[in-house]
Amino acid sequence: MFRKKAFQPLAGPLPPLGLLDFESTMKFREDALEQYRANGWDTAVLLDWMIRTLLSSLMADSASRIFLPKTETSPFELDDLLPLSAAAPTGRVKLPLNRVFLLAPVWNNRETAEELHQATRRSPEELEEGESVGVYLKELNLAIVDADPHESLCCRFLGRGTVVLDSYSLRDLAPIIRTDGQDWFVTEEDGEESYCPVLEPRMAALYRLGLERYYPKLLSRQDREERT
């Protein structure tokens, strides 16, 4: 009667969005877009909401490795999220941390705790000098920091600081990178295609939804090339 129940991560009232899979996201999108089009509603607001939901989920998970007991405590590789090493940035931007969606996967418990303390003591001038380099996807307003993420995450929490980022546009990435939700496919300079597995389905879904929202013709071209 009082036996302990087995843990079921999806049984609670708020299942973790980190368990999302690409197919479920696209199924919701397909059904919702059909409803919107049948009623003559603006589909942009639906895509914007899906993008915002995924961005918020990824940002909330930036500290997940320091809370979970069985995770790898080492810096992450940017290409594990999105194979941006295949493309050249369009330039560099300097942005306030509190005005972007920030994905800064912290991995060291002690460094995170110390940085929370130190960030409260720095002057505005020091915060301006403490720049971490990462990448920026401008259509998504997403900053991904892979150099000293602890500082960026803690400053973002306090609503302070700026960050310098290599800027990318989805328009420029579309001819080079595509995904089917299972793999990333990269077109090399010689025209050959390589691939690597999708490790974060939310990032793959964000990429597809971002292209559909802002550059639907480029996405259609990707889909035609995939079929051929």
Side-chain angles (χ1 to χ4, degrees), residues 12-24:
L14 294 175
L17 200 56
L19 296 179
L20 182 82
D21 63 86
F22 184 86
E23 292 76 13
S24 297

Side-chain angles (χ1 to χ4, degrees), residues 13 62 121 136 145 147 187 190 192:
S62 279
R121 301 168 64 86
Y136 180 64
V145 172
T187 302
D190 59 4
E192 293 295 318

